[in-house]
C-alpha cells in the first residue's frame, strides 16, 4: 500500500503541473490578438513596481537590472530576423531585407528577431519578477542610485544611436506598413457565409430548391 501511494503521488503532481501549464498556454494563446490590453497590463505592472521602489526607497539595483533587460529585448524587437551584414547567408526564404530595387518595391512585412508577442511576454515576466523580488530583503543591495541612473542613460543613448545607425545604413524601418487592409476581413458573408448554416438559409429562401447558380453548367439535356 505504501509503495503504491509513493508511486502515484508524483504522477498526480505531474498531471496537475501539466494541466496548469496547459491552462496558462491556453490563455496566452487567447491573448495574442488583444494587443492593447496586453501592453496595458505590462504598463500597470511597471507602474506598481516603480511606485513600490519610490515608497520603499530601495531595490535600485533591481530596477537597474530590469532596465537593462527591457533594453535588450527592445533592441531585439527592433532588429531584423537576419543580419543584413551577413552576405553569405541564404536569402531565399522571403524574410530578409530587400537587396534590389525590385525587391524594395514589393511589400514585405518586417520580420523581427523578437516577435511582438514574445517581446511583450518577456517584458511582462521581467516586470512581475522584479516586483516579486522587492519583497525579499536579500535583493536590496545598498547603492548610490544617481550613478546607476546616469550609467543607464548613457547606455541607452549609445545603444539606440548604434541601432538607428544600423537602420539608416541598411535602409529598413522596423514597422510593417503598406499592406492593404480590407473592411470586414475574416467575416463570413454572402451566399455561403457560415458554412452549412449559410447554405441551409439560402435553400430555405429559394423554397427548398437549390440555390441560383448551383445548377450544372451544361444547360438542359437534349434527348434524341
Amino acid at each position: 500500500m505504501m509503495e503504491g501511494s509513493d508511486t502515484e503521488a508524483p504522477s498526480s503532481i505531474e498531471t496537475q503541473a501539466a494541466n496548469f501549464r496547459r491552462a496558462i498556454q491556453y490563455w496566452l494563446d487567447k491573448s495574442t490578438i488583444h494587443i492593447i490590453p496586453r501592453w496595458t497590463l505590462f504598463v500597470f505592472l511597471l507602474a506598481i513596481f516603480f511606485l513600490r521602489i519610490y515608497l520603499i526607497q530601495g531595490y535600485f539595483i533591481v530596477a537597474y537590472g530590469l532596465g537593462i533587460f527591457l533594453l535588450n529585448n527592445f533592441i531585439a524587437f527592433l532588429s531584423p530576423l537576419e543580419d543584413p551584414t551577413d552576405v553569405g547567408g541564404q536569402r531565399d526564404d522571403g524574410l530578409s531585407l530587400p537587396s534590389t530595387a525590385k525587391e524594395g518595391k514589393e511589400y514585405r512585412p518586417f520580420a523581427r528577431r523578437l516577435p511582438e508577442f514574445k517581446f511583450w511576454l518577456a517584458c511582462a515576466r521581467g516586470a512581475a519578477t522584479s516586483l516579486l523580488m522587492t519583497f525579499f530583503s536579500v535583493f536590496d543591495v545598498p547603492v548610490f542610485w544617481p550613478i546607476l541612473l546616469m550609467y543607464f542613460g548613457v547606455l541607452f543613448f549609445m545603444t539606440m544611436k548604434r541601432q538607428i545607425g544600423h537602420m539608416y545604413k541598411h535602409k529598413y524601418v522596423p514597422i510593417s506598413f503598406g499592406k492593404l487592409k480590407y473592411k470586414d476581413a475574416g467575416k463570413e458573408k454572402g451566399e455561403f457565409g457560415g458554412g452549412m448554416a449559410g447554405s441551409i438559409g439560402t435553400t430555405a429562401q429559394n423554397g427548398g430548391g437549390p440555390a441560383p447558380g448551383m445548377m450544372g453548367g451544361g444547360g438542359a439535356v437534349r434527348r434524341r
Side-chain angles (χ1 to χ4, degrees):
M1 297 294 294
M2 294 299 294
E3 293 180 356
S5 61
D6 292 341
T7 56
E8 292 178 359
S11 61
S12 177
I13 295 176
E14 292 177 358
T15 302
Q16 294 179 0
N19 293 334
F20 180 72
R21 290 193 298 267
R22 192 178 299 110
I24 292 179
Q25 188 62 41
Y26 170 78
W27 287 110
L28 286 177
D29 294 340
K30 294 279 287 185
S31 67
T32 52
I33 60 175
H34 304 288
I35 299 177
I36 296 180
R38 285 194 284 107
W39 285 103
T40 302
L41 175 62
F42 165 70
V43 172
F44 175 76
L45 291 175
L46 199 63
I48 293 297
F49 170 74
F50 282 110
L51 179 61
R52 181 166 175 78
I53 292 295
Y54 175 76
L55 295 177
I56 299 178
Q57 290 296 311
Y59 298 96
F60 298 112
I61 194 68
V62 177
Y64 176 76
L66 177 61
I68 297 297
F69 177 76
L70 296 180
L71 180 61
N72 290 334
N73 284 275
F74 184 61
I75 294 300
F77 176 73
L78 296 179
S79 301
L81 180 62
E82 293 185 0
D83 190 1
T85 59
D86 186 12
V87 295
Q90 298 294 331
R91 297 179 180 270
D92 56 352
D93 55 357
L95 299 177
S96 59
L97 296 175
S99 57
T100 62
K102 182 179 179 180
E103 293 180 355
K105 294 180 181 179
E106 299 176 358
Y107 170 76
R108 288 188 179 183
F110 183 77
R112 306 179 186 277
R113 184 189 305 172
L114 183 65
E116 182 271 335
F117 181 78
K118 291 184 178 180
F119 175 49
W120 166 81
L121 186 60
C123 293
R125 285 177 176 175
T129 304
S130 300
L131 181 62
L132 183 64
M133 291 172 65
T134 58
F135 292 93
F136 300 93
S137 60
V138 66
F139 298 108
D140 189 9
V141 180
V143 64
F144 189 56
W145 67 266
I147 295 181
L148 291 180
L149 182 61
M150 181 181 64
Y151 184 73
F152 178 77
V154 173
L155 183 63
F156 179 82
F157 175 77
M158 297 299 296
T159 305
M160 291 305 300
K161 180 181 178 181
R162 183 180 59 184
Q163 184 66 26
I164 293 175
H166 188 270
M167 293 163 53
Y168 179 78
K169 178 180 178 181
H170 298 285
K171 297 180 176 58
Y172 69 90
V173 178
I175 300 175
S176 297
F177 60 90
K179 183 178 181 180
L180 296 177
K181 295 183 179 180
Y182 298 95
K183 186 179 180 181
D184 298 334
K187 295 182 180 179
E188 296 181 346
K189 292 184 178 181
E191 182 176 347
F192 301 100
M196 290 298 296
S199 61
I200 294 174
T202 305
T203 304
Q205 292 177 2
N206 292 307
M214 296 182 63
M215 298 293 293
V221 179
R222 180 178 297 177
R223 296 183 179 179
R224 294 183 179 179

